[in-house]
Amino acid sequence: MSKTPQFDKAIAEYFSKLELDEKGGQWRTCRFSGERFYVRPEDIEFYKKMQVPLPTITPHERIRRRIAQQNAYHLFHATSTLTGKRIISMFPPGSPYKIYEHESFYGEQWDPFAFAFSCDPGKSFFEQYHQFQLNLPHPNLTIRGKIVNSDYNNSSRDLKNCYLILDSVGVEDSAYGMGFFQTRECMEGFTLFNCSQSYDCLEGTNLYRCRYADFAVECIDCAFLYDCRDCESCFCSVNLRHKKYCFMNEQLSKEGYRDKMKSINLGNRDEVAKWKGELEKLKAKAIYKENHNDRSINSFGDFIKDCKNCYGCFYMIGCENVAYSIGGLTVRDSMDLEGGMDTQFCYESFGGNKNFSLKFCFWNQSSRELEFCENCTNCINCFACEGLKNKSFCIFNKQYTEQEYWVKIDELKTAMLKRGEYGEFFPPEYTQAPYNICMANAFSGYDDIETAKKYGYRVEDIPESSQDTISASINAEDLPTDIRDVKDSILQEVVLDTVNNKKFRFTNQELQFYRRFNIPLPQIHPSVRLENYRRKFGPVILKFFERECMKCGKQIQSVYPTDDPKIVYCERCYQQEIA
């Protein structure tokens, strides 16, 4: 027997009136961009199972809407609404939201039921939810799990002795990184998996004592690499496989390699710049695969690894039967997700782990059958709730009996469907972060602020932080060129990055790291360095270009534009040439 008979009847009637093409799909026009997009037959079958109407905006704009919800990469000083203490916060000064320390928010120091709200099904759901959000407290940072001596981080879990680590899980003794997973003693990097004692690496897996290495896997004691695997003691090389003692792609003896390395001082900034330039010359002659997918079956997208049946996805690992999603790990049978781990049968949601059957949700954990919920843990059958733990049958943080819950949900969802509100993520005008500091604006492909404003996202002036008002005591260009010349007194200096007009300090943790591994002091502000990694990584959008494999002439769909001078091969030719 149906628990929501009115809604079931209404959604069934909606699907019965759809006009589909001969394939069983439908072309639609995005209500934001005006762009035409196709809803595949398998998409429609998924929407029927989820009991949601077809989307009204393109996959690109659906991603923008989800990753615009939160600021993850800009941190500010704020005052806790709970304790009055000065704290670090992802909410900028002047934010209308109430902020609690994350330890208190995720702990037992407040009662979510004290903020219960009675929803009127006859009024706009999203307007009421926005008022509900303004009354509720929010965590100052999205930090979960076991956190030890790691106050200045965000959008991460299970950290120890970390500083400015973002979008990461299981990290120790590291700083200035994004997308670190099970990583130890690493500084400066982007998307590193199971790496240790490495510096300034991008998209690396199982690296040990590597520096300036991009797209490297299973490498030890290497520097200045691009697209190398299973290498040890290699320097300034590209496209290597199973090599030792290679210098600028030339095979040397062990003694010859060591003789070469004796004359190179990577603790000197000028020397590092020289070899970065040499690597760029080698990269111009390197062979590039048509995309960055690896060990995946029947999948379309980029950076899809160990996946099966994934479509229109970007950076997914160990996933199956997923579409239009970004950054998922072991996700199954879901669509339109950002992030998430060990998740199944979810739609239009952001973050969280170990969830089942969530719709339009944000940062929930170990929960089932939630809709429009945020920061809930171990909950079942809740709607429009925040901060609940171990609860069922709640609406707007108000407890109902099971029977009352389903009657209320039936009425509410039917009214929302009739008004055209039900079926999509929270609208642009109600994002928690201004667009100019939100996660979307941090990546090329979504950094078009004027376009975002046209679609209803808000942009605000962000006041200066107290750090910005402190006088600089040394310009970045006056920092010692060689790490061996750096004195302990550098920890007392306020450094001015004159290029970006930003001030910063060095922490003792990073100074000891630079000395230990013979690395010159950086001259660029940490936030700009992290931004540069995001730019270097490239757009988080799926755009493919028709071009020919430069080996066999086969037509391929590549992530590299036709006019890109890179040497691009199809998958087969790349494997034959490089493996």
Side-chain angles (χ1 to χ4, degrees):
M1 182 177 176
S2 172
K3 296 177 180 178
T4 53
Q6 294 182 77
F7 176 78
D8 293 350
K9 180 180 179 181
I11 196 71
E13 183 178 355
Y14 166 86
F15 279 108
S16 70
K17 292 180 179 179
L18 284 180
E19 296 182 3
L20 307 179
D21 61 19
E22 64 280 3
K23 297 178 182 178
Q26 187 187 80
W27 282 98
R28 312 205 97 198
T29 300
C30 177
R31 62 183 172 88
F32 282 177
S33 66
E35 180 184 349
R36 295 249 297 165
F37 66 100
Y38 189 66
V39 182
R40 305 174 303 156
E42 51 266 56
D43 298 342
I44 293 176
E45 289 305 310
F46 178 85
Y47 299 140
K48 286 180 179 179
K49 290 179 183 177
M50 296 295 288
Q51 287 198 296
V52 296
L54 273 59
T56 62
I57 59 178
T58 63
H60 177 79
E61 292 304 329
R62 300 201 297 270
I63 292 171
R64 184 202 299 270
R65 186 171 52 187
R66 291 188 296 274
I67 61 177
Q69 179 69 10
Q70 180 180 322
N71 159 38
Y73 307 140
H74 301 268
L75 301 181
F76 307 92
H77 290 289
T79 301
S80 166
T81 310
L82 180 66
T83 65
K85 294 179 180 178
R86 185 174 170 83
I87 56 175
I88 300 299
S89 174
M90 60 185 170
F91 292 90
S95 171
Y97 294 97
K98 298 175 181 177
I99 307 166
Y100 284 9
E101 290 91 336
H102 61 88
E103 301 94 337
S104 299
F105 181 90
Y106 295 121
E108 305 297 330
Q109 286 85 349
W110 68 292
D111 178 13
F113 284 158
F115 299 88
F117 178 85
S118 295
C119 177
D120 183 349
K123 296 181 179 179
S124 166
F125 167 79
F126 290 115
E127 288 181 9
Q128 293 181 85
Y129 190 85
H130 181 57
Q131 290 303 313
F132 175 65
Q133 287 263 300
L134 290 175
N135 290 330
L136 274 163
H138 300 268
N140 64 320
L141 302 167
T142 308
I143 297 289
R144 304 295 292 267
K146 188 175 182 180
I147 306 298
V148 179
N149 189 33
S150 301
D151 295 329
Y152 201 81
N153 307 276
N154 197 24
S155 191
S156 300
R157 64 181 301 124
D158 301 327
L159 306 178
K160 182 178 180 181
N161 302 328
C162 289
Y163 184 83
L164 204 52
I165 293 294
L166 309 168
D167 293 341
S168 299
V169 177
V171 184
E172 292 187 15
D173 303 311
S174 300
Y176 308 122
M178 293 179 58
F180 283 13
F181 294 86
Q182 307 303 324
T183 289
R184 306 289 182 271
E185 294 186 281
C186 288
M187 187 92 56
E188 305 273 350
F190 191 94
T191 58
L192 302 184
F193 297 82
N194 194 33
C195 296
S196 180
Q197 298 184 15
S198 295
Y199 176 77
D200 197 359
C201 297
L202 181 145
E203 187 56 24
T205 301
N206 297 335
L207 304 182
Y208 177 69
R209 295 181 66 91
C210 291
R211 65 180 79 180
Y212 316 114
D214 296 348
F215 297 92
V217 178
E218 304 280 358
C219 293
I220 300 173
D221 287 316
C222 294
F224 301 102
L225 299 185
Y226 182 84
D227 184 28
C228 295
R229 294 190 176 212
D230 187 25
C231 294
E232 182 176 351
S233 300
C234 291
F235 187 89
C236 198
S237 296
V238 300
N239 293 147
L240 295 183
R241 297 295 185 270
H242 320 298
K243 298 292 185 181
K244 280 187 177 183
Y245 312 121
C246 284
F247 189 97
M248 295 190 72
N249 278 71
E250 179 185 357
Q251 182 65 62
L252 302 178
S253 66
K254 181 178 180 179
E255 294 74 18
Y257 179 82
R258 288 183 173 178
D259 287 342
K260 283 274 191 181
M261 295 304 298
K262 284 178 182 178
S263 63
I264 297 174
N265 174 21
L266 293 184
N268 183 290
R269 192 179 302 112
D270 294 338
E271 187 90 0
V272 170
K274 169 191 169 182
W275 288 108
K276 283 185 176 181
E278 293 298 323
L279 179 62
E280 288 303 312
K281 294 176 185 177
L282 288 175
K283 286 168 63 177
K285 301 175 184 178
I287 296 171
Y288 294 78
K289 194 171 66 168
E290 57 188 293
N291 56 45
H292 302 94
N293 299 339
D294 196 16
R295 302 182 304 275
S296 293
I297 300 171
N298 189 34
S299 295
F300 173 74
D302 201 18
F303 291 96
I304 300 176
K305 305 175 183 182
D306 300 306
C307 292
K308 183 179 180 181
N309 302 329
C310 289
Y311 179 84
C313 291
F314 188 93
Y315 218 104
M316 306 293 285
I317 301 174
C319 301
E320 187 172 349
N321 301 326
V322 180
Y324 314 121
S325 298
I326 288 182
L329 181 65
T330 58
V331 174
R332 300 284 186 275
D333 305 313
S334 299
M335 289 177 61
D336 284 277
L337 302 184
E338 260 55 62
M341 301 190 312
D342 302 327
T343 290
Q344 187 174 357
F345 201 51
C346 293
Y347 176 60
E348 275 272 43
S349 294
F350 185 109
N353 68 309
K354 297 181 180 178
N355 293 310
F356 178 84
S357 191
L358 268 56
K359 291 181 272 190
F360 327 115
C361 285
F362 192 72
W363 283 121
N364 298 285
Q365 312 290 325
S366 304
S367 295
R368 301 168 61 93
E369 307 291 347
L370 305 186
E371 298 188 55
F372 299 104
C373 288
E374 182 176 346
N375 285 312
C376 293
T377 302
N378 198 31
C379 292
I380 303 174
N381 290 319
C382 291
F383 192 97
C385 292
E386 176 162 359
L388 300 185
K389 292 188 285 291
N390 309 313
K391 301 298 180 183
S392 298
F393 309 121
C394 297
I395 304 172
F396 280 95
N397 283 27
K398 187 175 182 179
Q399 183 69 65
Y400 293 88
T401 66
E402 182 176 358
Q403 183 177 3
E404 290 171 336
Y405 175 83
W406 290 116
V407 170
K408 195 78 174 175
I409 288 296
D410 195 18
E411 181 184 16
L412 182 57
K413 289 175 61 171
T414 302
M416 290 177 65
L417 183 66
K418 185 177 180 179
R419 287 194 298 267
E421 290 182 314
Y422 187 77
E424 295 185 348
F425 200 68
F426 301 98
E429 57 267 32
Y430 298 132
T431 58
Q432 293 180 12
Y435 196 86
N436 43 316
I437 61 167
C438 76
M439 188 180 292
N441 188 51
F443 290 94
S444 56
Y446 293 99
D447 53 354
D448 45 349
I449 289 182
E450 291 305 314
T451 299
K453 287 169 64 176
K454 185 172 68 175
Y455 296 160
Y457 297 91
R458 76 183 194 280
V459 174
E460 298 178 359
D461 291 331
I462 307 300
E464 283 188 343
S465 70
S466 58
Q467 178 81 359
D468 295 327
T469 62
I470 298 174
S471 297
S473 56
I474 184 173
N475 289 340
E477 56 265 33
D478 296 328
L479 292 170
T481 301
D482 198 303
I483 186 63
R484 293 175 296 189
D485 299 326
V486 176
K487 305 292 190 295
D488 288 349
S489 58
I490 194 67
L491 297 176
Q492 310 307 318
E493 304 283 3
V494 177
V495 183
L496 175 63
D497 171 0
T498 55
V499 175
N500 299 288
N501 195 30
K502 289 179 176 287
K503 302 172 196 135
F504 65 99
R505 296 178 187 268
F506 293 106
T507 69
N508 185 58
Q509 178 190 24
E510 64 180 308
L511 178 59
Q512 298 310 317
F513 184 94
Y514 298 146
R515 284 173 169 169
R516 179 183 174 191
F517 296 105
N518 193 35
I519 294 167
L521 295 180
Q523 296 175 299
I524 302 173
H525 190 278
S527 67
V528 178
R529 302 199 305 260
L530 288 173
E531 180 181 348
N532 289 342
Y533 280 117
R534 296 192 293 267
R535 302 299 175 190
K536 183 178 179 180
F537 184 76
V540 291
I541 58 174
L542 289 176
K543 193 170 184 181
F544 292 87
F545 304 89
E546 294 285 346
R547 60 183 295 167
E548 291 184 353
C549 169
M550 298 176 71
K551 177 75 171 180
C552 69
K554 173 187 174 182
Q555 284 293 123
I556 56 176
Q557 283 193 317
S558 174
V559 296
Y560 301 107
T562 308
D563 58 356
D564 191 320
K566 290 184 177 67
I567 302 169
V568 180
Y569 283 10
C570 67
E571 170 88 18
R572 182 178 179 182
C573 290
Y574 173 87
Q575 296 296 349
Q576 289 176 345
E577 188 77 16
I578 302 299

